[in-house]
Amino acid sequence: MFAGAVAGSLPVHRHPHVAWHTDRGVPWQQRFTVLPSLRTHAIRQQQSVRSRHCRAARSTKLKCCSESQNGNVNGSNGTSVENLVIIGSGPAGYTAAIYAARANLKPVVFEGYQVGGVRGGQLMTTTEVENFPGFPEGITGPDLMDKMRAQAERWGSELLTEDVEHVDLSSRPFTIRTSDTEVKTHSIIIATGATAKKLGIPSEEKFWSQGISACAICDGASYSFRNKELAVVGGGDTAVEEAIYLTKYASKVHLLARGEKLRASRAMQDRVLQHEKVTVHFNTVVDDAYPDGKGALAGLHTKDTKSGEGSKLEVKGLFYGIGHQPNSQLVAGQIDLDDHGYVKVRDGVQTNVEGVYAAGDLFDVEWRQAITAAGSGCMAALSAERYLTTHNLAREYHSKELDQAKDLQPEEKEKVAAEDQFDITQGRHKGQFALRKLYHESDRVIIVLYTSPTCGPCRTLKPIFSKVVDEYENKVHLVEIDIEQDSQIAEAAGVQSTPTVQMFKAKERIHHLPGVKMKSEYRNLISKAVEEEKASIPA
């Protein structure tokens, strides 16, 4: 009804390429819309001119700017220039990639790895997503992101699981640099999202990943939380969702809300308030956590915000659900930000720098939903396409559509061995049987990757870590342990969160690495362990 009302208020003259609105109430800048057929025509004219230039250039043995292999126009130093680079993944980044790729722009997407959160964004740490259209039975956050990623890849997006370390918007084409790659581009969509906030209590760092966590679906299955009383701090949808999820493992969950009522949606409030294993504590804040005699988290010092009275709450784990802060550090000082670090936009997604757009939670201070993030990603991609076409910068890439989407993570085709097929000469293994055999019989460095089925960051780390291990073929063993299937192994190893990587040499543990680290850190530690192992072997 809304779309029809708008259409009815704007009389349109039919034209094969231009829709012209004659209503005098519409600003002149908005009275016409260039249709896709005209954009394509303009691009083809531009390419025709470049083609003639190239033929002339070849006759004089000069290199034509439009003949670069991977880009459309050479930069001043001879490097190719991309149409569009998207920084960040999640609903905003992947939707932008889908739309840009379908427009034949072949976007380059830096998905992120560690800085600002893992590939796929906040939904990688979300359980059931029940309000995203098209999934009547609901879908997990990691599964939704995997589907979006596959769709972006299907249409020709170039996906790089790397952290962008530097962006230069001071000159055109823009420059984007990671630890492994440098790219020149005519336009940028920044979709770096937001990161979970921390409380900042005195003992936070001491207990981080050792009792305190910001990801219930990553760490909830840990042996240290099973059949224990746990606490979740926060009053919004995130906190309520985490509290409900943790009831799968905990004996009881305490939800600590600062205010007199919850801020979560009505449906989520009803669910948590009626749950027999959840107790909601209103007007309650956490002052600090305290240990038991062995140094493990034993409980919380809490305070009533009305009376100021302090008390103790005995729990074995504390999970955060207190909101997020925008990941705008990368462009701070180059584009306009508000006082809280959110990107300022106009006309929907346009920043103050022409050709640079923001999408998702990076600028959304109000709604912060997966569907609104996806919508802003669409807007950003269409805006970038219009900008490139208007300025004669776009180059179309025509590739045959794949009959089927590529495997979600083809590099994850694991060569694992079952118990009856165990082969000590292989480099990849799975499960406690393999780990025990290798521990006692192998002289290689053993790397153990602990994961859990619902852990979004684990999905990100596995293919990346696998590539790093590939560099040390016949020198290391990689063993994956599912902490739900092999909970005793995880408990014996002291693993309280996933993903966690441990390294063993000569039956001694030499490294314990919870969370997602930089590739260079994993590579350096493995190299050092392998070299030390080699040096210890008698000549």
Side-chain angles (χ1 to χ4, degrees), residues 288-348:
D288 202 2
Y290 61 87
D292 59 18
K294 297 180 180 179
L297 190 147
L300 307 173
H301 294 291
T302 64
K303 183 171 67 176
D304 187 299
T305 57
K306 282 192 169 182
S307 67
E309 182 181 350
S311 60
K312 286 186 175 182
L313 180 64
E314 293 186 2
V315 293
K316 290 297 184 180
L318 173 62
F319 293 81
Y320 290 172
I322 55 175
H324 299 79
Q325 56 190 16
N327 297 321
S328 56
Q329 311 92 310
L330 200 60
V331 291
Q334 299 191 77
I335 62 176
D336 291 343
L337 309 176
D338 69 12
D339 293 339
H340 299 287
Y342 288 92
V343 174
K344 292 183 178 180
V345 296
R346 55 180 171 80
D347 300 329

Side-chain angles (χ1 to χ4, degrees), residues 215-405:
C215 180
I217 69 169
C218 303
D219 304 334
S222 170
Y223 73 91
S224 56
F225 300 136
R226 287 179 179 270
N227 301 314
K228 305 291 197 310
E229 291 196 24
L230 307 175
V232 177
V233 60
D237 278 339
T238 300
V240 169
E241 181 183 291
E242 295 213 344
I244 294 172
Y245 176 81
L246 287 170
T247 59
K248 293 170 57 178
Y249 307 104
S251 60
K252 186 175 182 179
V253 177
H254 300 270
L255 180 60
L256 313 180
R258 174 186 291 271
E260 295 181 346
K261 58 183 180 180
L262 299 175
R263 294 176 289 101
S265 64
R266 181 61 59 187
M268 295 298 287
Q269 287 189 45
D270 291 344
R271 194 176 301 176
V272 76
L273 291 171
Q274 295 171 12
H275 203 293
E276 61 181 8
K277 293 179 71 174
V278 179
T279 299
V280 181
H281 304 257
F282 294 103
N283 304 309
T284 302
V285 294
V286 177
D287 281 342
D288 202 2
Y290 61 87
D292 59 18
K294 297 180 180 179
L297 190 147
L300 307 173
H301 294 291
T302 64
K303 183 171 67 176
D304 187 299
T305 57
K306 282 192 169 182
S307 67
E309 182 181 350
S311 60
K312 286 186 175 182
L313 180 64
E314 293 186 2
V315 293
K316 290 297 184 180
L318 173 62
F319 293 81
Y320 290 172
I322 55 175
H324 299 79
Q325 56 190 16
N327 297 321
S328 56
Q329 311 92 310
L330 200 60
V331 291
Q334 299 191 77
I335 62 176
D336 291 343
L337 309 176
D338 69 12
D339 293 339
H340 299 287
Y342 288 92
V343 174
K344 292 183 178 180
V345 296
R346 55 180 171 80
D347 300 329
V349 291
Q350 173 67 61
T351 71
N352 63 301
V353 178
E354 190 178 23
V356 180
Y357 307 91
D361 287 3
L362 189 63
F363 77 90
D364 184 358
V365 299
E366 184 172 0
W367 307 113
R368 295 189 288 269
Q369 299 295 306
I371 192 66
T372 55
S376 68
C378 166
M379 293 166 61
L382 295 177
S383 298
E385 181 193 6
R386 180 181 298 174
Y387 166 78
L388 292 167
T389 303
T390 301
H391 292 79
N392 293 325
L393 296 172
R395 177 186 180 186
E396 288 195 35
Y397 291 83
H398 295 279
S399 59
K400 221 175 204 181
E401 179 192 343
L402 300 178
D403 292 333
Q404 295 180 341

Side-chain angles (χ1 to χ4, degrees), residues 33-59:
T33 303
V34 181
L35 300 181
S37 56
L38 182 57
R39 291 200 296 270
T40 302
H41 177 68
I43 292 172
R44 286 174 179 167
Q45 279 191 322
Q46 173 194 353
Q47 290 174 339
S48 177
V49 171
R50 285 181 180 167
S51 179
R52 291 196 297 271
H53 169 70
C54 287
R55 288 196 294 271
R58 281 195 291 269
S59 67

Side-chain angles (χ1 to χ4, degrees), residues 83-87 164-177 182-192 328-337 343-344 349-358 362 387:
N83 284 319
L84 170 65
V85 167
I86 300 169
I87 306 175
V164 172
E165 298 177 346
H166 176 74
V167 175
D168 184 1
L169 305 179
S170 63
S171 60
R172 297 176 190 269
F174 305 124
T175 302
I176 295 173
R177 188 163 58 245
E182 181 172 301
V183 174
K184 299 285 186 180
T185 181
H186 290 303
S187 61
I188 300 175
I189 294 174
I190 308 169
T192 47
S328 56
Q329 311 92 310
L330 200 60
V331 291
Q334 299 191 77
I335 62 176
D336 291 343
L337 309 176
V343 174
K344 292 183 178 180
V349 291
Q350 173 67 61
T351 71
N352 63 301
V353 178
E354 190 178 23
V356 180
Y357 307 91
L362 189 63
Y387 166 78

